Amino acid sequence: MTTTAPVWRIEVDGRPATAENLLWPALNHPGHFTAMQVRGGKVRGIGRHLARLDAATRELFGHELDGERVRALIRHILRGDPGTPTAPGGPDHPGNPTGPGGPDHPGNPTGPGGSDHAGGPADPADPAGPTTPGDSSHAGNPTAPGASADVIDDASLRVHVHAPAGHPSVMVIVRPPTVLPAVLTDRAQSLMSVPYQRPFAHLKLLGGFAQARYGELARRAGFDDALLTGPGGEISEGAVTNIAFYDSTRDGPRIVWPNAPHLAGVTMRLLESRLPAAGLPTRHAPVTLADLPSYAGAFVTNAWGVSPVRRIDSVAYEIDEKVMARVAAVYEDVPWDTV
């Protein structure tokens, strides 16, 4: 699940990426992002993604980020339109090609990854995802059955935000869609615990050397990814996922999300708001490595979906397919929102 997927398209504020507008992120200026899966031109939880981007932009850069501007940029790159989306606020708006963040101003990066979590590895390549040589406006251009060569209906999509000259600049990156195996046991993950918690964990920041490095070390050791922990072995989150545990009681399984510092991922939030109605009560509580044997199982979530956990370090879990099927069904029932 860590193969770097080919890039289909990259645009900075609605313009094709160039060496000039990639200079700013190449020099390691701070930024944040969100990642999503697109199906039929729609996204699950688009409102949560936009709210995340706006809140992080306000916190990091002291400016709001208009959700309608971001939606226009997403629609623009998916449709393969040759022009630049009209940005609100006139010619001085950072989304306008003549204003800060336009084609003559440094823009945003091609950062690693496409998970629902911060600083994760690249979206896995979909072997079925076709690409055709890109035109002068795009890094690559897929051809989808039943669609024109310029329209992308299904994709992995990331929105990056930097602030050249203090003004938010939005980069959109499109890669092939990520599709998890249909059989839940085929997507089961093994995790290696590591002694690391992300700084400013509530933000989905670009970069993240330590978690990427720990993820690579976990894979070298035969695991699928890393599990981030703090003092006393308190579990925070996966390197590119949120994690939840469940136990078995006479009244049925209960879901526990670790409450150590973590990013509240969009998939996690969509799930936890709907699980109780499906008979799966959920809560946040401390979870440590010493607690692992007391749980019946675990699962991880990110923009790709829901996957069971089969092992954490030396603790093996027998996957409860009934519980996991209920959790997965709750997520599959989340409606897709028009961008």
Side-chain angles (χ1 to χ4, degrees):
M1 296 180 66
T2 58
T3 304
T4 300
V7 173
W8 278 346
R9 294 176 183 166
I10 305 175
E11 292 182 352
V12 179
D13 295 316
R15 295 280 183 168
T18 65
E20 185 176 8
N21 62 25
L22 293 178
L23 178 62
W24 182 270
L27 297 178
N28 298 313
H29 291 281
H32 64 91
F33 75 104
T34 196
M36 59 195 80
Q37 291 293 307
V38 180
R39 297 294 184 272
K42 298 183 177 183
V43 173
R44 283 191 173 107
I46 186 64
R48 293 183 184 272
H49 285 286
L50 298 177
R52 162 192 281 172
L53 291 171
D54 180 53
T57 301
R58 290 170 185 266
E59 181 172 345
L60 290 176
F61 307 129
H63 288 276
E64 67 177 19
L65 182 60
D66 181 17
E68 288 308 309
R69 174 190 170 199
V70 176
R71 293 176 93 130
L73 292 169
I74 293 173
R75 290 193 298 267
H76 181 264
I77 196 169
L78 291 176
R79 292 173 182 172
D81 295 333
T84 302
T86 301
D92 293 329
H93 192 278
N96 192 291
T98 61
D104 295 327
H105 200 290
N108 280 332
T110 55
S115 75
D116 184 36
H117 212 74
D123 275 340
D126 180 358
T131 59
T132 61
D135 60 22
S136 60
S137 300
H138 299 106
N141 206 0
T143 301
S148 76
D150 290 333
V151 175
I152 299 176
D153 289 323
D154 301 339
S156 296
L157 186 143
R158 285 170 56 123
V159 178
H160 292 201
V161 182
H162 280 80
H167 297 280
S169 178
V170 178
M171 178 183 206
V172 185
I173 304 169
V174 179
R175 291 187 173 98
T178 301
V179 181
L180 294 177
V183 179
L184 285 165
T185 53
D186 289 345
R187 52 173 103 158
Q189 299 285 293
S190 61
L191 305 174
M192 183 181 83
S193 64
V194 298
Y196 177 72
Q197 290 179 312
R198 293 187 307 108
F200 302 97
H202 64 290
L203 295 172
K204 193 173 178 68
L205 299 172
L206 288 161
F209 168 79
Q211 73 197 86
R213 177 60 176 164
Y214 277 127
E216 179 59 29
L217 292 175
R219 288 183 285 277
R220 289 185 185 180
F223 293 83
D224 293 299
D225 215 337
L227 180 67
L228 310 185
T229 68
E234 188 172 15
I235 294 170
S236 296
E237 55 194 346
V240 296
T241 58
N242 290 112
I243 188 166
F245 298 86
Y246 57 88
D247 53 19
S248 298
T249 70
R250 288 186 305 174
D251 298 324
R254 298 175 301 180
I255 309 298
V256 179
W257 304 89
N259 67 356
H262 65 279
L263 175 74
V266 170
T267 300
M268 167 189 165
R269 295 176 66 191
L270 290 171
L271 267 176
E272 68 175 337
S273 66
R274 291 167 169 80
L275 286 171
L280 295 168
T282 177
R283 63 189 177 94
H284 291 255
V287 180
T288 68
L289 294 174
D291 297 328
L292 293 179
S294 68
Y295 288 99
F299 59 89
V300 292
T301 67
N302 64 9
W304 305 336
V306 179
S307 298
V309 172
R310 58 184 172 86
R311 177 167 65 109
I312 300 176
D313 296 338
S314 62
V315 177
Y317 289 122
E318 182 175 347
I319 298 171
D320 189 323
E321 295 190 39
K322 291 184 178 179
V323 172
M324 287 308 309
R326 290 171 66 186
V327 173
V330 170
Y331 183 62
E332 291 301 319
D333 285 342
V334 175
W336 292 87
D337 303 322
T338 300
V339 176

